[in-house]
């Protein structure tokens, strides 16, 4: 049975597209946590819609996705037993 508690995604939206070389790409940095207790969700899957970019959160729920082309994206987070979270 799925938990009814949805998880909380704190995203330091460095998707403000930090310039790397000539300002072409950026990165997304954040932490996926359980909204009830604040614990990081290890192995949560973070993906950026309309791209092939994705990653898995580390043991503390932290994640980084590099080389994101400039633009507006929807970020999806999935973790077994939790409702999926979508950020626009």
């Amino acid at each position: 049975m799925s938990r009814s508690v949805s998880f909380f995604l704190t995203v330091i939206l460095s998707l403000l597209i930090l310039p790397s070389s000539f300002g072409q790409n950026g990165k997304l940095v954040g932490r996926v946590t359980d909204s009830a207790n604040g614990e990081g969700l290890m192995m949560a899957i973070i993906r950026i819609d309309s791209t092939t970019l994705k990653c898995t959160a580390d043991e503390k729920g932290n994640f980084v996705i590099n080389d994101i082309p400039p633009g507006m994206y929807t970020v999806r987070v999935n973790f077994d037993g939790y409702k999926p979270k979508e950020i626009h």
Side-chain angles (χ1 to χ4, degrees):
M1 182 171 169
S2 265
R3 284 184 167 180
S4 59
V5 177
S6 65
F7 53 87
F8 176 71
L9 172 65
T10 302
V11 177
I12 303 164
L13 279 179
S14 298
L15 194 58
L16 304 169
I17 307 302
L18 300 175
S20 51
S21 57
F22 304 108
Q24 293 177 352
N25 294 325
K27 71 179 175 179
L28 177 66
V29 178
R31 183 167 188 243
V32 181
T33 59
D34 183 304
S35 61
N37 59 25
E39 291 183 21
L41 297 177
M42 180 171 92
M43 303 300 289
I45 298 170
I46 302 91
R47 79 181 63 220
I48 299 176
D49 278 3
S50 304
T51 73
T52 58
L53 301 170
K54 65 179 179 177
C55 72
T56 304
D58 69 12
E59 65 278 352
K60 294 181 180 177
N62 298 313
F63 68 89
V64 177
I65 301 177
N66 290 307
D67 291 328
I68 304 170
M72 301 291 289
Y73 297 97
T74 297
V75 177
R76 293 183 193 276
V77 181
N78 291 298
F79 189 73
D80 286 341
Y82 289 76
K83 293 178 184 176
K85 180 75 174 182
E86 187 176 288
I87 309 246
H88 303 277

